Amino acid sequence: MNEILSPKDFKHKYSVTVRFHEVDMLGVCYNAVYINFFETARLEYIKAAGLMPSRGLFSDGNIFFIVKNEINYRGYAYHDDILDVYSKISYIKNSSFGYDHLIVNQKSGNIIVDGKVVIVHVDSNTRKAKRLSEKFIEKVKAFEPSVKILRE
Amino acid sequence: MNEILSPKDFKHKYSVTVRFHEVDMLGVCYNAVYINFFETARLEYIKAAGLMPSRGLFSDGNIFFIVKNEINYRGYAYHDDILDVYSKISYIKNSSFGYDHLIVNQKSGNIIVDGKVVIVHVDSNTRKAKRLSEKFIEKVKAFEPSVKILRE
Amino acid sequence: MNEILSPKDFKHKYSVTVRFHEVDMLGVCYNAVYINFFETARLEYIKAAGLMPSRGLFSDGNIFFIVKNEINYRGYAYHDDILDVYSKISYIKNSSFGYDHLIVNQKSGNIIVDGKVVIVHVDSNTRKAKRLSEKFIEKVKAFEPSVKILRE
Amino acid sequence: MNEILSPKDFKHKYSVTVRFHEVDMLGVCYNAVYINFFETARLEYIKAAGLMPSRGLFSDGNIFFIVKNEINYRGYAYHDDILDVYSKISYIKNSSFGYDHLIVNQKSGNIIVDGKVVIVHVDSNTRKAKRLSEKFIEKVKAFEPSVKILRE
């Protein structure tokens, strides 16, 4: 059992408001929507870390696919709630790396969900795993000094 | 004011079940979801009319964009309702053509929504409007004899 | 043919960034997503006009359903584009009222879509149309002086 | 590391076709969409096991929330691919139970994703965990004899 992270474990925060169409018939934010929030937050993270190609996502030929999504639901969010989505790259392996996410209700401070996401860097032609560049690692380390480098 | 169409005005029918995540906090199918239903029905229509490229949508370089969506909401649909989505190409112009859609609750026969959609054929490079081919028109006419040809 | 509105015809603006999952396989913002943008913008409009119930949407027993959505697509939006969504209540009838919307690329100023939406006020029990209150009309008029009142 | 399940480990199958709006700008089925597929499959599973209330989901006052979603992505799905979604309740605890899912491309037999989902039964008023009834367990055991009962 992993310990639950808290906002102080993160430096990057992205805030999002729960939209009407993101709420389900039980009146709470639909479970799959948090995957969208994680993803949108990661793209802001990538920009903040200087990793977004200048002409937009994938424009430099580097393609990334999600290998694993894991979400734990610890509370409910409602329409119009403002959520703080915390993200960090926690480790980097040869061709893959992992994110930790935490979503907190901005007003109450209650944890709504947390999650772990694994991303793989793939060759744009073969769509097979491709080793991450040293430049990528350096940029992540500069932005997120606590990242663990697990390279072989 | 247009008259409302009825199922007997259509030959193509595609059935879909309202999924949990498609229902909103008022307990009814969310209004934007019908656009997805229209679109999925049109792709089945295109297959039925022999217009789907053999290697999948857009694989022959013909790209189509939506120019206009118009939906009238006349009833409610609920989770797990089975809906019959009726579609037809009603007219063809130089580079654009129009669909009529009607969605009916399969069990009750009640009309849920109707709509009109306008599609434009664009050049895959310039993304500018491009004249529809005679072959396209012949196939549509063979499948939908009532289609109006409004060419200049 | 209606004239196309421009940003100067509106006082309310809501900005939104196109998210990754809102882009389709042609690389542009998916056509149904604009309905979500319109809706999110209308909820901000309702707040700005002092019409949002204090305990959240529908919490005062007033329920609103969409009767008609009409969208004209005039340009493309891409991932990460910032869009300005302009909204106004253009008229009020007995139990229904209409919105005009315009979406513009914030950077280029290009019009991406415009649309008209008709909303009906319904009784929360019967789900039948219910006359809009004078208080509603007064609040809208105070916020949007140009609104046309078309009451019988 | 868990072993990967195969279709022969399941008795329940639900088939779904990837819709246009479910594909992202890389041309593959968007990662969050599989959560919708899992959920739709579970609702069919619940019907098949005789667990769906006669007047629709939640109509008997039993409410279920998702506690955890875990998805492993092992392949890509494209527009119009037909996917077989396999589901089973693998264990039942006091107030929660777990599903295993596997999604396979119907034509190629390739595994696309697998996943584990944990659901909790909650009281409809307090939204706190509530012990699952013996009747629920008996129905699941009748439908899925291999289910593990992990009750205290």
Side-chain angles (χ1 to χ4, degrees), chain A:
Chain A
M1 202 62 179
N2 296 319
E3 86 268 54
I4 302 176
L5 294 167
S6 81
K8 66 175 170 40
D9 298 313
F10 294 88
K11 72 179 274 191
H12 189 268
K13 183 174 80 167
Y14 166 78
S15 299
V16 68
T17 302
V18 179
R19 297 179 186 169
F20 180 78
H21 70 97
E22 294 170 335
V23 170
D24 69 19
M25 61 192 276
L26 288 171
V28 298
C29 184
Y30 178 61
N31 69 89
V33 170
Y34 296 104
I35 289 191
N36 302 338
F37 293 163
F38 285 175
E39 187 155 76
T40 306
R42 283 197 304 274
L43 290 168
E44 293 304 315
Y45 184 96
I46 280 170
K47 284 186 214 170
L51 287 161
M52 178 67 92
S54 58
R55 291 188 301 145
L57 201 59
F58 313 132
S59 64
D60 59 355
N62 283 304
I63 289 184
F64 296 90
F65 278 106
I66 290 174
V67 178
K68 186 187 183 90
N69 263 314
E70 184 190 321
I71 308 184
N72 300 294
Y73 302 87
R74 304 188 186 280
Y76 309 123
Y78 300 90
H79 175 246
D80 221 26
D81 279 359
I82 302 171
L83 304 179
D84 288 338
V85 186
Y86 295 94
S87 308
K88 69 171 172 185
I89 296 182
S90 48
Y91 66 85
I92 300 176
K93 292 189 175 176
N94 290 335
S95 58
S96 66
F97 56 104
Y99 279 94
D100 279 316
H101 291 291
L102 180 72
I103 298 183
V104 173
N105 181 302
Q106 188 174 87
K107 200 171 175 184
S108 70
N110 291 337
I111 291 177
I112 307 299
V113 306
D114 61 38
K116 289 178 183 296
V117 179
V118 184
I119 311 275
V120 66
H121 179 219
V122 299
D123 186 282
S124 59
N125 293 314
T126 64
R127 298 211 164 176
K128 300 281 182 191
K130 183 180 173 183
R131 194 172 173 88
L132 288 158
S133 69
E134 290 303 318
K135 194 175 162 192
F136 175 90
I137 295 170
E138 289 317 309
K139 283 192 175 175
V140 175
K141 278 166 74 175
F143 185 70
E144 196 76 82
S146 70
V147 62
K148 286 175 194 146
I149 310 298
L150 308 168
R151 307 274 279 192
E152 292 159 17

Side-chain angles (χ1 to χ4, degrees), chain C residues 128-141:
Chain C
K128 300 281 181 190
K130 184 181 174 183
R131 194 172 173 87
L132 289 157
S133 70
E134 290 304 318
K135 194 176 162 191
F136 176 89
I137 295 171
E138 289 316 309
K139 283 193 175 177
V140 175
K141 278 166 73 175

